[in-house]
Amino acid sequence: MSITTTAPTAPISPELLAWQRDLREQFPIVTAHPDVRYLDSSATAQKPQAVLDAVHHYLTTTNANAGRGTYPWANRTTELIEWGRDRVKAFFNDPDPERSRVHFTSGTSEGLRTVARDWLTGFLGDGDEIVVPFADHQANALPWLEAQRLLAERGVRIAVREMPYEDASRDYDQAALAELITPRTRFIAATHVHHVYGADMNVHRIRATAGPDVVICLDAAQSVGHKPVDLAALDVDFAVFSGHKAMALPGIGAIWSRGERGPAFEPGGWNGSPNTSGVVSLHAALDWLDAAGLDRIERWTVGLGALLTDGLARLGSYEILGCPLSLDAASTVQRRQGIVTFRHRDIGSNDLGFILASHGLMVRADGHCQGHAGEKDSSVRVSLHVHNTPDDIDRLLDVLAGLNREN
């Protein structure tokens, strides 16, 4: 069980309340709909005005294709793409920006599949082994199985091992992982923050467990934009994320590759026209997040999540997925990273989602695209960001408590 020294006994401090009030006003869609509580930021994050302004300015002053012209607008757009790559590296505290590379994609799913098809299949040899987290998002499971199939078609046989999990916390089981790793283990896929359980999966421990030579690929879809992501400290080889979950536009994401273990990453095929407005939006979003303070964003969303798990546990009719020891607001066990997923013991999750929507509470209610080792039944996921408030949590808990009385 992992312990954090930052878990708050008072989840929301007065200093954070004052800081958040100013930031909330910077989200036009939130302020324009005061009767709606948007609680689905893990699916896609809302956009601050600074991001919208940056895209509008680019499209009305400099819009052109990149790398395909010699006139000023094209040259400027080409520069913006390169600056965007540099911005991603700086945002991640890149340990070696001269060696690493950033390749823009449409998002995490395409990015992980690109790593699998265009890099992993050339890296592995017959008899090699990889470790895959089959209770995480399918986007971090299916591409590695596809790589296995493509290699098998060439006569190269690799073994896919299932990442082990602790039964209680649903964190990665490092002791079991150590026993799973052999001299033929070449690659481990991992997730930074779990999209259902909301847990920081402690990927910083994997390097010590796996040793210095195993390649680690990180699905950072639920951490980028929600908490600091220090790739120098995590010691991974790939990090893949979606811009739209980090307050940029849809259709933009990135693969960061370290280039230290194995061959340099080179995506296959022809690079078509880049998503220039997407890159501009991503650059602006990373600027906004850094200015807001990712450490404070994390403290805010973790605090709201603690309020929600504490309230749900008191209602009694709800099963909260993930670590059961972190439900009390005063718990010192590692908190959920702004993601809380639950079920009602009598009301189906899809029905519960419709009921909450009728009260202006926008949540996700389904199976959450987990791999085959994940949850078998649907559930309701609440995912929070900096524009959410304690009042949002109170309103949600009031509706959920009312359902208990009706049943």
Side-chain angles (χ1 to χ4, degrees):
M1 185 63 63
S2 53
I3 304 295
T4 179
T5 59
T6 59
T9 54
I12 306 295
S13 69
E15 176 266 333
L16 282 180
L17 284 168
W19 162 83
Q20 189 268 349
R21 277 194 294 269
D22 176 63
L23 294 185
R24 177 180 167 81
E25 296 301 314
Q26 299 180 40
F27 291 85
I29 196 170
V30 173
T31 57
H33 299 88
D35 294 330
V36 170
R37 303 296 193 269
Y38 183 76
L39 303 169
D40 197 20
S41 289
S42 289
T44 196
Q46 299 302 337
K47 320 307 177 193
Q49 188 65 52
V51 172
L52 304 177
D53 289 345
V55 174
H56 182 267
H57 177 76
Y58 166 72
L59 291 176
T60 56
T61 62
T62 317
N63 182 40
N65 209 334
R68 289 162 173 79
T70 57
Y71 52 90
W73 289 1
N75 292 337
R76 175 67 172 175
T77 298
T78 301
E79 290 178 339
L80 290 174
I81 299 296
E82 293 307 313
W83 293 343
R85 292 190 174 96
D86 291 340
R87 187 66 185 88
V88 170
K89 294 181 181 183
F91 187 80
F92 280 155
N93 188 28
D94 192 324
D96 190 358
E98 295 302 317
R99 170 184 283 184
S100 66
R101 302 184 182 187
V102 171
H103 174 70
F104 291 116
T105 70
S106 66
T108 308
S109 296
E110 182 196 352
L112 292 170
R113 190 165 185 254
T114 299
V115 174
R117 292 174 62 94
D118 296 348
W119 187 85
L120 188 62
T121 53
F123 175 64
L124 298 176
D126 196 62
D128 284 342
E129 301 172 358
I130 66 175
V131 180
V132 176
F134 286 112
D136 295 1
H137 199 288
Q138 290 189 68
N140 201 16
L142 297 183
W144 318 120
L145 295 177
E146 183 180 9
Q148 181 188 39
R149 177 182 59 78
L150 292 172
L151 285 167
E153 292 174 356
R154 304 176 196 170
V156 177
R157 304 290 175 175
I158 67 167
V160 176
R161 310 299 187 196
E162 294 202 18
M163 174 73 81
Y165 298 80
E166 295 178 355
D167 290 337
S169 69
R170 302 308 292 161
D171 194 359
Y172 297 141
D173 187 331
Q174 297 295 329
L177 177 61
E179 295 181 359
L180 191 66
I181 291 173
T182 76
R184 298 306 303 268
T185 303
R186 305 291 305 282
F187 179 89
I188 296 175
T191 299
H192 198 183
V193 170
H194 200 280
H195 72 293
V196 175
Y197 306 123
D200 182 323
M201 301 300 285
N202 290 297
V203 292
H204 63 282
R205 300 177 180 176
I206 294 179
R207 175 58 63 203
T209 303
D213 300 323
V214 176
V215 173
I216 300 172
C217 180
L218 184 66
D219 175 351
Q222 298 298 347
S223 57
V224 174
H226 299 264
K227 64 188 274 85
V229 180
D230 186 337
L231 295 182
L234 294 175
D235 197 7
V236 298
D237 301 278
F238 292 92
V240 187
F241 70 99
S242 300
H244 73 97
K245 298 178 188 291
M247 300 186 180
L249 294 183
I252 188 65
I255 303 167
W256 172 89
S257 59
R258 186 169 188 166
E260 183 175 306
R261 301 173 182 92
F265 170 70
E266 289 287 353
W270 173 257
N271 287 327
S273 298
N275 181 354
T276 53
S277 58
V279 174
V280 168
S281 75
L282 180 59
H283 195 151
L286 299 184
D287 285 347
W288 189 93
L289 290 163
D290 270 344
L294 281 158
D295 57 337
R296 289 188 290 186
I297 290 174
E298 181 183 20
R299 286 166 54 202
W300 181 261
T301 56
V302 166
L304 291 181
L307 292 176
L308 178 53
T309 55
D310 185 78
L312 284 170
R314 295 172 189 275
L315 292 180
S317 295
Y318 294 88
E319 174 196 5
I320 306 171
L321 307 186
C323 177
L325 299 180
S326 64
L327 302 184
D328 186 272
S331 171
T332 57
V333 175
Q334 184 181 38
R335 308 300 320 190
R336 289 164 171 78
Q337 299 289 314
I339 299 173
V340 179
T341 306
F342 58 91
R343 302 185 186 100
H344 193 281
R345 301 191 190 281
D346 299 312
I347 303 173
S349 294
N350 290 333
D351 290 338
L352 186 53
F354 283 116
I355 293 169
L356 293 174
S358 71
H359 290 272
L361 297 159
M362 296 184 176
V363 300
R364 178 164 172 173
D366 60 21
H368 312 298
C369 304
Q370 269 189 286
H372 71 257
E375 302 292 328
K376 305 307 179 187
D377 299 320
S378 62
S379 54
V380 171
R381 184 182 70 184
V382 172
S383 49
L384 306 158
H385 219 310
V386 69
H387 52 73
N388 291 116
T389 66
D391 183 67
D392 295 349
I393 304 302
D394 290 342
R395 180 169 172 178
L396 173 62
L397 289 171
D398 285 345
V399 174
L400 294 175
L403 295 177
N404 274 357
R405 290 190 292 269
E406 294 173 9
N407 283 273

